[in-house]
Amino acid sequence: MGKINVAPTKSNLLATKEQLSVALNGYDLLKEKREILVRELMHLVEQVKLLEKQLDKVIAEAYPAYKRMLMLDGADQVERISHAVHYDFEMTEKHVTIGGMNFATMDVKIPEKELFYSFLGTYANTDATIVKFFELLSILTQLASIRTIVWRLADDVKKTQRRVNALDKMIIPQAKETKTYIEGVLEERERENVFVLKALKKKNSKK
């Protein structure tokens, strides 16, 4: 990595030292931020895995229940029940703070189950099926909400890693090399000045 092309002056040395100090501090802060984000990301991924297991379990129960409902009630009756059932789902935007960062996602409030049909001509399996699909919907909304945050968090981890790499591989080495170069030139000039002063002093003493 080459040095920055600047004039080897004391003012540029001070500026380079300041840039290096800022870059080193930024590097430490970004590394800390990356570690926090990765930790939070792993925690959320574990939540996703647990919800996916629950989802598989409920799916394995909900769809067989629906098939039994079709067999016991008949397709016509199931269609009449479906026309009678109506729920309003309340969707709101919510903000979650993770690792000092704010993430926006959607929160869906599942309504309480109500009876929209007569007990006559229906079976207990009808209620069981509705309960299972409500459970399925609840898990799906939770999963969608967490996955949204996971995707955004993973993107921020990538961006933070790119900044860490840029500081580590380019900005900090350049600043260090530039600092070393300017210090070397200034030291050489100082030695030359000392040599000239000694030579003049020696010449004057002979006179």
Side-chain angles (χ1 to χ4, degrees):
M1 182 62 63
K3 63 180 176 63
I4 302 171
N5 188 22
V6 294
T9 62
K10 288 185 178 180
S11 61
N12 282 337
L13 178 60
L14 291 174
T16 301
K17 285 182 176 179
E18 179 65 22
Q19 181 188 17
L20 179 59
S21 176
V22 171
L24 289 170
N25 288 334
Y27 178 72
D28 291 337
L29 289 172
L30 283 173
K31 278 181 65 179
E32 184 179 350
K33 176 185 175 181
R34 180 191 61 191
E35 289 170 5
I36 292 172
L37 292 179
V38 168
R39 206 160 47 236
E40 294 291 344
L41 181 60
M42 292 301 100
H43 176 66
L44 289 175
V45 167
E46 287 302 315
Q47 290 187 41
V48 169
K49 289 179 180 178
L50 289 174
L51 284 171
E52 286 176 341
K53 287 182 180 178
Q54 294 179 34
L55 182 63
D56 291 339
K57 181 176 179 293
V58 175
I59 287 175
E61 296 171 350
Y63 283 96
Y66 178 64
K67 289 179 181 179
R68 285 194 299 272
M69 181 180 171
L70 284 171
M71 291 174 62
L72 295 171
D73 294 350
D76 291 339
Q77 178 69 353
V78 169
E79 186 175 357
R80 282 194 292 272
I81 292 172
S82 67
H83 287 312
V85 175
H86 176 74
Y87 287 101
D88 290 321
F89 294 89
E90 184 180 338
M91 299 180 67
T92 56
E93 184 180 14
K94 69 175 182 179
H95 294 269
V96 181
T97 302
I98 299 174
M101 303 181 67
N102 192 40
F103 296 92
T105 184
M106 296 300 296
D107 186 32
V108 182
K109 183 178 179 182
I110 306 297
E112 296 292 329
K113 190 175 78 69
E114 300 178 39
L115 182 65
F116 291 97
Y117 50 86
S118 171
F119 283 114
L120 297 176
T122 62
Y123 297 85
N125 189 65
T126 303
D127 283 337
T129 302
I130 292 176
V131 168
K132 282 298 174 185
F133 273 90
F134 258 59
E135 189 178 349
L136 179 61
L137 183 60
S138 176
I139 294 173
L140 283 171
T141 54
Q142 292 178 62
L143 195 55
S145 177
I146 294 177
R147 275 179 172 169
T148 300
I149 297 174
V150 166
W151 290 330
R152 291 193 57 197
L153 195 57
D155 187 54
D156 283 318
V157 169
K158 289 179 182 177
K159 289 178 181 177
T160 303
Q161 183 60 52
R162 283 198 293 269
R163 292 179 187 136
V164 169
N165 289 341
L167 285 168
D168 186 39
K169 305 298 182 185
M170 183 174 67
I171 296 173
I172 291 175
Q174 275 188 338
K176 284 181 176 179
E177 192 167 338
T178 303
K179 173 177 168 291
T180 300
Y181 163 71
I182 295 176
E183 286 175 339
V185 172
L186 293 178
E187 287 172 3
E188 182 63 27
R189 286 177 183 172
E190 187 67 25
R191 284 193 293 271
E192 288 176 358
N193 289 338
V194 170
F195 176 79
V196 170
L197 288 172
K198 284 182 178 180
L200 288 173
K201 186 176 180 182
K202 186 176 181 182
K203 184 178 181 180
N204 289 332
S205 64
K206 286 182 178 179
K207 289 181 179 180

